[in-house]
Amino acid sequence: MVRYAGRRLLQMIPVFFGATVLIYAMVFALPGDPVAALGGERALSPAVQDQIRADYNLDKPFIVQYLLYLKGVFTLDLGTTLRGSRPIIDVLAGAYPVTIKLAFMALTFEAVAGIAVGFIAGVRKGRWFDATALVMSLVVIAVPTFVIGFLLQFFIGVRLGWLPVTAGNSPGFRELLMPAVVLGAVSFAYVLRLTRTEVAENLSADYVRTARAKGLSGFRVMVVHVLRNSLVPVITFLGADLGALMGGAIVTEGIFNINGVGGTLYKAILQGEGPTVVSFTTVLILVFVVSNLVVDLLYAALDPRIRYA
């Protein structure tokens, strides 16, 4: 297992460097000058522009810029924002805790609810519960996220008054509950359908019939054999989805007025804040790489054959 973990860790290194160099090139090396765009309608003087480029190493060759940027990443010195000269590490520290809390709440919702409903639907394949679950999941997938958000805001927040309509600057569990459901709604539907399919297939597998023939209890057969083997692809999906939730929170955070990663990143893109965009994206890449590593380790723990593949 240690050798497998080390091999997977080494494979993550080129993924990180490849993704970061691509993001950095897209922000700073492609046509368009983020410094010239800072002034908006009132263009900055050439001297000021040159000074900004020198401060942010934008006057150096691309490879030197990228290496200096990596040095800043590994020393936690991400520089300052182009507007306001605020340390980017402070912007990250203010935005990420909210989005991490929101993403984990959404992940918990889609994992617990999706696996539970999918498991019951798989066991009751062809019955009314299975049909209802499939139709419900299809509706959730088909309806855009912002529509789900506005509908929940209207019925649960405005008409019933059960939960706050917006989250505010320092949201707690109650303020983030409805945004988390909205953020995890589509993934919940996929987890439900994936679990339901795997459970239905495993119920007719030979090893399940063998387990029953050996006289194992129904609970042990369903939980230890059927559910455990059905969770392998589901966990893979959930691990990959954590990174997507972090980056895909832009719409949800906009609907519920949450000052997290999505909202900050969206504003940075609109304002041409290249250093902020690159720094936020780098952290998202790290989250995605680490979450996939954890998934690979869980995957190997659930199915030992994978360690030797």
Side-chain angles (χ1 to χ4, degrees), residues 52-68:
I52 294 175
R53 290 191 183 92
D55 291 342
Y56 289 90
N57 300 315
L58 300 178
D59 56 345
K60 296 180 175 59
F62 173 73
I63 187 63
V64 177
Q65 291 182 40
Y66 177 68
L67 292 176
L68 290 171

Side-chain angles (χ1 to χ4, degrees), residues 178-302:
M178 191 156 52
V181 171
V182 174
L183 182 60
V186 175
S187 296
F188 155 77
Y190 284 118
V191 170
L192 185 160
R193 297 176 78 89
L194 194 56
T195 306
R196 179 253 182 199
T197 302
E198 291 294 321
V199 168
E201 288 182 357
N202 285 325
L203 279 174
S204 58
D206 291 339
Y207 72 89
V208 173
R209 284 195 288 269
T210 303
R212 284 174 172 158
K214 289 166 63 178
L216 296 180
S217 67
F219 178 81
R220 184 174 176 81
V221 170
M222 296 303 292
V223 175
V224 177
H225 294 276
V226 176
L227 183 59
R228 176 178 173 177
N229 287 288
S230 301
L231 288 183
V232 173
V234 177
I235 287 178
T236 305
F237 175 82
L238 290 174
D241 196 47
L242 179 59
L245 287 175
M246 297 282 291
I250 294 177
V251 175
T252 305
E253 291 185 356
I255 294 173
F256 292 93
N257 193 29
I258 300 172
N259 293 319
V261 172
T264 307
L265 186 58
Y266 180 67
K267 292 175 186 173
I269 293 172
L270 290 181
Q271 295 172 351
E273 280 279 357
T276 307
V277 173
V278 171
S279 299
F280 270 69
T281 310
T282 299
V283 177
L284 287 175
I285 292 169
L286 280 172
V287 171
F288 189 80
V289 168
V290 172
S291 62
N292 273 273
L293 177 63
V294 173
V295 167
D296 286 342
L297 298 180
L298 289 174
Y299 202 78
L302 288 171

Side-chain angles (χ1 to χ4, degrees), residues 35-122:
V35 176
L38 278 177
E41 295 181 356
R42 299 178 60 185
L44 301 176
S45 67
V48 173
Q49 292 187 31
D50 291 341
Q51 184 60 49
I52 294 175
R53 290 191 183 92
D55 291 342
Y56 289 90
N57 300 315
L58 300 178
D59 56 345
K60 296 180 175 59
F62 173 73
I63 187 63
V64 177
Q65 291 182 40
Y66 177 68
L67 292 176
L68 290 171
Y69 154 70
L70 281 184
K71 178 185 175 185
V73 170
F74 290 117
T75 58
L76 298 181
D77 180 12
L78 300 176
T80 60
T81 59
L82 291 174
R83 288 178 172 81
S85 298
R86 185 183 175 195
I88 294 176
I89 197 77
D90 289 349
V91 181
L92 282 166
Y96 261 90
V98 178
T99 300
I100 288 174
K101 191 189 301 183
L102 176 64
F104 273 99
M105 286 178 65
L107 192 71
T108 303
F109 161 69
E110 68 183 61
V112 174
I115 291 174
V117 178
F119 179 75
I120 298 173

